[in-house]
Amino acid sequence: MAVDFMYSEKVLEHFRNPRNMGEIEDADGVGDVGNPKCGDMMRITIKVDEATGTITDVKFKTFGCGAAIATSSMVTELVKGKSLQEALAVSNKTVVEQLGGLPPVKLHCSVLAEQGIVAAIQDYYAKHPEKTPPPELESKAQYLEKVDPHGWPDGDQ
Amino acid sequence: MQMMHVSDFVHGKTQDIIYLDHAATTKVDPEVFEAMVPHLQEEYGNPSSLYGLARRSRIKLEQARETVASFIGADASEIVFTGCGTEADNYVIKGTALAKGEQGRHIITSAIEHHAVLHPCQALEKQGFEVTYLPVDEYGLVSPEQVAEALRDDTILVTIMYANNEVGTIEPIAEIGAICRERGVWFHTDAVQAVGKIPVNVDELNVDMLALSAHKIYGPKGVGALYVRKGVRLPPLIDGGAQEEGRRGGTENVAGIVGLGKAIELLQRRGEEDNRREAALRDRLIAGITESISHCRLTGHPEQRLPNIASFVVQYVEGEGILLSLDMEGICASTGSACTSASLDPSHVLIAMGYSHTLAHGSLRLSVGRENTEEEIERVIELLPPIVQRLREMSPLWADARKRGEVT
């Protein structure tokens, strides 16, 4: 049956009960990605253990459709407790697989989720110039759809 | 509140749904269904054939034509049955291009038309036609003056919708029609949302062509009709047999057309009362929702709007999230958010009305109908605020607005 226009049960479950929703106030890294034009905006905040380079906490806030919320939720689950290097290895494909698939028109949401993590890690290293980022960061970051958080629509009447 | 189980949601097993998407489609009325059934079974004659079985189909077909015609103040010979409203719009636009392409290659429409009009216009642009997409004001109104200014010597068609499907705004069709008539330019209106909701009389509206659809008025899907004023000659788009006076080939969808006729009969009988009742439900929705949800406002014209459409933008959230959440409560609604389309662009209607992309992503349309009750409306007014609040708590835009002190 061609049901690729539908959300999987897993997607709906994450939409209903999102994991790690929120914003870490004293975050070590913040990733703001997305674009108001296509309607998905994601903020990933991470807490990193300085000594071990492990993501001890991660939270998301997302403005977007069911898929955007579900992919944000899933990606936070996938990177929590991982080292920064391991987190960078989490691809959008993994997010999609873990969600039991996404309708083709929603695949960009999973890309956004991956980018959110990359952006947060990039921000972490920007705040810690003394640390050497894993080599993957540079190659992954070049695909970031960079968003200036202050460029986000404000007071949009 | 009792949310349904996810798997029930996936498979659409809804116990009691609250259907508030009548602008998308409606349920076939039992009387319509009853009228249709014989023509799917024993009364199966092809109306083009000679014998009694066929003649009976033909008689029913022509009776339906009379009914449709009289409802809009037309003559039966001016009604062409089509496969849907979209086909009727395509027929007008592409048919006019075929008929008058030698005389002129300019068409005027509005920026807020349904895709059934916009996309045929865009297809003609690829063929070298020029199309003017008139802007609208913040309420979605097209101004007759702008139509007059846009008219050129090579304009062959003006096509403006009677009422907008997303925001319910009713356009000044009679005024625009008068301008077109004075200039001798064919004028078409897509009245798919308007028929049955507001008075439709082709003479009063000064239209040369008018499209309508059965499934928006408790008739079946797969049937539309086009009014074509006497003297307006459109070459057929669907070449084939001599059906529909040679204007559309293909054996007629007799059951569907009979259903359309019956649906119109029902409008004649109960339309006015339905509209009065629906307008009250709409007003309750508008008041209840804009009062209980902050940063949420009505879209479209506050008075000059269809009696059945309540449309909003809900700031800081995205429409699909609202729809999914409502669906989990068994409530059927609609949005112009990009996330429900493949294009990633939000509603062209709201953008044309001057709304920003983020606001347009938070659009919500609730369209009431015959069977809705006051209790259902109250339930929606009760369920929507916590749904919006939950999504706002997830939204970085809401968080930022709160940090800036714009919201509490």
Side-chain angles (χ1 to χ4, degrees), chain A residues 1 6-18 21-25 32-33 35-44 60-70 105-106 108-109 149-150 152-157, chain B residues 3-11 295 297 314-318 320-322 324-325 328 337-342 344-346 354-359 361-362 390-400 402-404 406:
Chain A
M1 187 170 57
M6 283 186 8
Y7 285 145
S8 69
E9 299 211 11
K10 197 84 191 245
V11 170
L12 291 168
E13 207 271 314
H14 273 263
F15 171 73
R16 268 180 54 175
N17 303 303
M21 199 279 288
E23 194 169 340
I24 301 170
E25 285 306 319
D32 278 327
V33 290
N35 148 9
K37 197 163 183 250
C38 66
D40 294 311
M41 282 170 276
M42 215 173 269
R43 171 173 298 153
I44 302 278
F60 81 87
K61 281 222 169 180
T62 293
F63 167 93
C65 60
I69 289 167
V105 298
K106 300 289 187 180
H108 70 277
C109 296
H150 305 291
W152 281 19
D154 41 15
D156 190 358
Q157 291 304 313
Chain B
M3 274 200 169
M4 73 173 88
H5 188 264
V6 166
S7 68
D8 287 347
F9 173 77
V10 170
H11 301 292
H295 307 276
R297 57 190 148 108
V314 186
Q315 207 177 344
Y316 309 113
V317 294
E318 192 278 329
E320 195 207 75
I322 304 179
L324 278 174
S325 309
M328 286 172 176
S337 147
C339 287
T340 55
S341 73
L344 297 187
D345 287 324
Y355 287 89
S356 68
H357 277 81
T358 28
L359 262 179
H361 280 296
R390 186 183 93 97
L391 293 171
R392 282 181 172 165
E393 293 301 330
M394 282 195 230
S395 166
L397 299 179
W398 177 255
D400 289 357
R402 195 146 54 184
K403 279 176 208 156
R404 290 192 301 264
E406 288 164 12

Side-chain angles (χ1 to χ4, degrees), chain A residues 37-150:
Chain A
K37 197 163 183 250
C38 66
D40 294 311
M41 282 170 276
M42 215 173 269
R43 171 173 298 153
I44 302 278
T45 44
I46 55 172
K47 200 80 192 143
V48 180
D49 182 291
E50 284 229 17
T52 60
T54 305
I55 298 178
T56 54
D57 197 9
V58 53
K59 290 203 183 301
F60 81 87
K61 281 222 169 180
T62 293
F63 167 93
C65 60
I69 289 167
T71 53
S72 323
S73 166
M74 179 53 83
V75 84
T76 59
E77 270 207 318
L78 289 170
V79 303
K80 200 170 179 175
K82 297 253 169 73
S83 72
L84 291 168
Q85 192 158 10
E86 286 166 333
L88 281 174
V90 172
S91 71
N92 77 302
K93 243 174 136 177
T94 316
V95 173
V96 174
E97 277 164 18
Q98 291 295 314
L99 283 171
L102 274 181
V105 298
K106 300 289 187 180
L107 286 173
H108 70 277
C109 296
S110 66
V111 176
L112 203 61
E114 177 187 323
Q115 289 181 338
I117 298 296
V118 175
I121 293 173
Q122 193 186 36
D123 182 54
Y124 171 78
Y125 281 106
K127 286 172 180 159
H128 292 84
E130 75 286 1
K131 293 193 186 290
T132 320
E136 302 92 299
L137 182 62
E138 201 187 336
S139 59
K140 281 200 114 177
Q142 65 179 322
Y143 298 110
L144 274 181
E145 198 179 326
K146 271 269 183 71
V147 173
D148 170 9
H150 305 291

Side-chain angles (χ1 to χ4, degrees), chain B residues 42-113:
Chain B
E42 64 271 20
E43 292 294 316
Y44 57 84
N46 185 326
S48 300
S49 300
L50 180 75
Y51 35 81
L53 179 72
R55 283 199 303 274
R56 290 202 299 275
S57 292
R58 182 62 186 261
I59 288 166
K60 288 289 192 169
L61 187 71
E62 297 311 324
Q63 281 173 349
R65 200 185 306 278
E66 291 278 353
T67 307
V68 173
S70 76
F71 189 66
I72 60 171
D75 187 81
S77 65
E78 297 173 309
I79 302 298
V80 184
F81 290 117
T82 63
C84 53
T86 295
E87 185 193 321
D89 287 329
N90 268 262
Y91 183 19
V92 168
I93 293 160
K94 293 175 181 167
T96 301
L98 282 174
K100 297 202 142 188
E102 300 285 301
Q103 294 169 43
R105 297 174 81 77
H106 179 236
I107 292 171
I108 297 171
T109 188
S110 83
I112 61 158
E113 297 297 307

